[in-house]
Amino acid sequence: GAGVSQSPSNKVTEKGKDVELRCDPISGHTALYWYRQSLGQGLEFLIYFQGNSAPDKSGLPSDRFSAERTGGSVSTLTIQRTQQEDSAVYLCASSRDRTYEQYFGPGTRLTVT
Amino acid sequence: AQKITQTQPGMFVQEKEAVTLDCTYDTSDQSYGLFWYKQPSSGEMIFLIYQGSYDEQNATEGRYSLNFQKARKSANLVISASQLGDSAMYFCAMRAPPSGGSNYKLTFGKGTLLTVNP
């Protein structure tokens, strides 16, 4: 079946602009995670959605970051007023349930100039 | 808090030989899960193998096996009969029960870059 998809695959933006990153999880997966991968910090957890429960936003680095998940499926990660330190690969993962293995999408490479 | 340590930034192996990638972890939880992911140059994280803390047998998936030594808190990945396509970054990750809520997020190590030579 189809895996996790993310769009765009690459995004170049100017400092100060807002960006939206999209994630389509595997159909039927109730848990969805966003991670960020950067050279200096490695892989970091950002935010977690489980079904219709309130998301766990404990990993978001600042209030410029937000995310939503509509209808328990597609998720959008929004970064407002982007900064150069936001440059990274943003990875989305989904799992059948929170206790199962996570399957990752191909990521969105964000470059802030 | 959980911590994963991968001490080998890079490893080289000859095609068809076996290679072991090291992973040690630190947690105070009794119940946890250990994962290995492969990240080729294309960027996608590919799930390889899982070991639960209460599993008595070492996990195996095809050419991948996990050498789980609970007392030493190590979870090394063994790749047998290496292939050129195995060249990639490999990440060890741990999932522990959440302290609150239901967030079973993964904590990752820094990764090991494996190069398979022909």
Side-chain angles (χ1 to χ4, degrees):
Chain A
V4 178
S5 61
Q6 292 185 247
S7 61
S9 54
N10 279 284
K11 177 72 176 179
V12 180
T13 190
E14 292 180 354
K15 178 181 172 181
K17 300 279 190 181
D18 298 352
V19 294
E20 284 190 354
L21 313 180
R22 177 187 167 104
C23 171
D24 277 277
I26 294 172
S27 177
H29 280 195
T30 61
L32 187 148
Y33 297 79
W34 283 96
Y35 294 88
R36 179 170 71 174
Q37 185 175 25
S38 57
L39 280 175
Q41 301 298 322
L43 273 149
E44 309 170 276
F45 160 77
L46 295 178
I47 189 169
Y48 159 70
F49 295 90
Q50 172 64 48
N52 295 319
S53 302
D56 181 337
K57 306 177 184 179
S58 59
L60 295 179
S62 78
D63 58 8
R64 295 186 295 104
F65 288 72
S66 63
E68 63 177 19
R69 189 179 184 191
T70 53
S73 181
V74 172
S75 177
T76 303
L77 177 69
T78 301
I79 309 173
Q80 295 179 310
R81 306 181 302 283
T82 52
Q83 304 293 313
Q84 287 187 331
E85 61 263 28
D86 299 335
S87 295
V89 176
Y90 290 81
L91 291 162
C92 175
S94 72
S95 64
R96 194 191 321 174
D97 184 77
R98 60 185 186 270
T99 62
Y100 285 80
E101 61 271 15
Q102 296 175 26
Y103 292 91
F104 283 78
T108 293
R109 181 174 298 278
L110 175 66
T111 304
V112 182
T113 61
Chain B
Q2 296 86 39
K3 185 178 179 182
I4 295 283
T5 303
Q6 294 181 255
T7 58
Q8 306 153 315
M11 287 282 286
F12 293 88
V13 65
Q14 287 297 123
E15 194 178 5
K16 299 180 185 177
E17 291 185 352
V19 62
T20 297
L21 306 184
D22 294 342
C23 172
T24 57
Y25 60 92
D26 189 20
T27 182
S28 57
D29 294 295
Q30 296 301 307
S31 175
Y32 50 88
L34 296 157
F35 300 79
W36 278 92
Y37 284 86
K38 171 185 178 181
Q39 188 177 43
S41 56
S42 60
E44 188 163 353
M45 297 282 281
I46 301 167
F47 166 69
L48 294 178
I49 196 166
Y50 165 79
Q51 178 85 41
S53 59
Y54 292 119
D55 294 341
E56 295 185 352
Q57 303 262 13
N58 285 342
T60 60
E61 287 287 348
R63 294 186 298 110
Y64 305 107
S65 60
L66 200 152
N67 184 0
F68 180 48
Q69 299 186 43
K70 193 170 181 177
R72 298 180 62 182
K73 292 189 175 180
S74 75
N76 298 339
L77 177 70
V78 180
I79 306 175
S80 63
S82 297
Q83 302 173 355
L84 295 179
D86 293 335
S87 293
M89 185 72 86
Y90 288 80
F91 291 94
C92 181
M94 179 167 61
R95 180 191 67 203
S99 57
S102 65
N103 182 359
Y104 285 76
K105 66 183 179 184
L106 295 174
T107 300
F108 288 87
K110 296 292 187 187
T112 295
L113 181 61
L114 176 66
T115 302
V116 180
N117 294 317

